[in-house]
Amino acid sequence: MFIWEGVSEFVAVAEAESFTAAAKRLGISTAQVSRQVSALESRLSTKLLYRTTRKVSVTEAGQTYYEYCRQVLDGLEEAERAMTNLQLIPKGKLRLTAPVTYGEKVIAPLVNDFVLRYPELEVQLNLTNQKLDLVGGGYDLAIRLGKLEDSTMMAKRLSSRTLYVCASPNYLSTYGVPHSLSELEQHNCLLGNLDYWRFQERGKSHNVRVKGNMKCDSGWALLDAALKGIGIVQLPDYYVQPSLDCGKLVNLLEHYQEADDGIWAVYPHNRHLSPKVRMLLDFFDESLSKNK
């Protein structure tokens, strides 16, 4: 096994031609430098330095040893720079998953911006509404919406989403505007995967079962149906916000609107989060923080 003791001290003395200058460069005492170099010479059974009261010079053997040691130390410095650069410039493979619609509309454009900034990354983005096994699938990160299940994963809140109940002005002019949760029974409610809608009543979450003539697992299809006046829909803001802003849809039952859901980055529990994942998390956080 190679023993490092004395090597850095010897190289510093050889380059500075002074024990005092070498000690100052290394931030240690002159006596410690002298002891380490002497111990190195004893271990090698070779005189590396000529010492006089006025000058320190390198012996012929010392010059040969210095050249090898300098190469090794240069290699170590290069390795340290490489590690620093890895933290400054993300590179290599990065695997993440996100829900389909939110992934297409929000996450994928952000990932593309991140890749533009760091083109040495190789990204695999899997858009699916299934909750994948991150560890088993080798994923670095997942975007999850809503309330998180208990797990051993780490989670960082990136943003929030608002659930809106809304309908087109044409539908409301024909069938009237509901002002209470009980009035939803009188309306055609367009359903997704669930047969209930989420509300908040008297400070508590409250699920209300609804029914209608359409059920579809596509939020875009439900949005299109609502815009065409077929019925009332409950969808997250990233589906309906533009239509609400321009008046194509009307927000309903605002007093019963549930508190915003969280949008989370979830990742395997790891004390040493890789720099590329940490930087992507920071990038998501900075980009989405206005909606927290």
Side-chain angles (χ1 to χ4, degrees):
M1 180 183 290
F2 185 80
I3 300 173
W4 286 103
E5 289 183 0
V7 172
S8 296
E9 291 84 353
F10 162 68
V11 169
V13 173
E15 291 178 348
E17 298 183 342
S18 165
F19 281 85
T20 302
K24 187 175 182 180
R25 171 176 158 184
L26 296 173
I28 58 178
S29 69
T30 303
Q32 185 176 351
V33 173
S34 181
R35 281 195 302 271
Q36 293 282 29
V37 172
S38 295
L40 177 63
E41 288 178 318
S42 296
R43 192 168 73 246
L44 297 174
S45 300
T46 303
K47 192 172 185 63
L48 301 174
L49 298 169
Y50 292 120
R51 302 165 176 82
T52 68
T53 55
R54 294 184 176 182
K55 188 178 179 182
V56 176
S57 59
V58 182
T59 66
E60 184 177 354
Q63 183 61 38
T64 300
Y65 190 67
Y66 165 79
E67 290 172 1
Y68 280 104
C69 289
R70 184 67 268 175
Q71 290 178 31
V72 172
L73 292 177
D74 287 344
L76 287 173
E77 290 174 4
E78 184 65 26
E80 194 162 310
R81 281 195 294 272
M83 293 302 98
T84 301
N85 288 338
L86 276 177
Q87 297 190 43
L88 297 175
I89 306 175
K91 59 183 66 175
K93 293 183 179 180
L94 184 61
R95 299 190 73 209
L96 64 154
T97 178
V100 176
T101 301
Y102 189 76
E104 289 176 337
K105 189 172 181 62
V106 180
I107 297 300
L110 291 179
V111 170
N112 293 339
D113 290 340
F114 194 68
V115 171
L116 279 175
R117 187 178 294 186
Y118 304 111
E120 294 184 56
L121 277 172
E122 182 182 337
V123 175
Q124 180 183 339
L125 174 59
N126 186 353
L127 299 181
T128 174
N129 292 328
Q130 296 181 347
K131 291 187 177 179
L132 302 178
D133 178 1
L134 300 191
V135 175
Y139 287 94
D140 297 296
L141 183 71
I143 301 299
R144 299 272 165 84
L145 309 179
K147 295 177 175 63
L148 294 180
E149 299 174 357
D150 292 336
S151 75
T152 58
M153 297 287 150
M154 301 294 289
K156 179 181 179 65
R157 187 179 177 119
L158 299 175
S159 185
S160 62
R161 67 172 184 174
T162 304
L163 281 175
Y164 287 103
V165 173
C166 46
S168 70
N170 182 50
Y171 174 90
L172 297 174
S173 65
T174 303
Y175 299 101
V177 177
H179 296 287
S180 67
L181 299 184
S182 61
E183 290 180 52
L184 287 174
E185 293 181 1
Q186 306 164 23
H187 289 272
N188 190 36
C189 298
L190 310 174
L191 296 169
N193 291 321
L194 304 174
D195 60 357
Y196 63 84
W197 285 352
R198 293 162 45 192
F199 296 97
Q200 185 167 286
E201 192 172 19
R202 298 185 181 92
K204 294 183 179 180
S205 295
H206 182 53
N207 295 334
V208 175
R209 292 194 176 275
V210 293
K211 58 184 179 178
N213 67 354
M214 183 175 181
K215 186 169 186 177
C216 182
D217 60 2
S218 167
W220 295 119
L222 295 175
L223 172 62
D224 183 68
L227 288 169
K228 290 176 178 176
I230 295 174
I232 301 176
V233 73
Q234 184 180 61
L235 285 171
D237 47 13
Y238 45 86
Y239 285 103
V240 300
Q241 194 66 61
S243 298
L244 289 170
D245 291 341
C246 70
K248 290 183 178 179
L249 290 177
V250 178
N251 186 19
L252 305 171
L253 302 170
E254 293 181 62
H255 291 99
Y256 299 97
Q257 189 167 292
E258 191 179 45
D260 289 353
D261 279 336
I263 295 174
W264 308 86
V266 177
Y267 49 95
H269 192 284
N270 190 336
R271 290 178 58 190
H272 304 291
L273 196 63
S274 68
K276 60 188 174 186
V277 177
R278 176 177 50 79
M279 292 181 73
L280 180 61
L281 277 172
D282 291 342
F283 183 74
F284 282 161
D285 190 37
E286 179 183 354
S287 302
L288 301 172
S289 59
K290 62 183 179 181
N291 295 322
K292 276 189 177 181

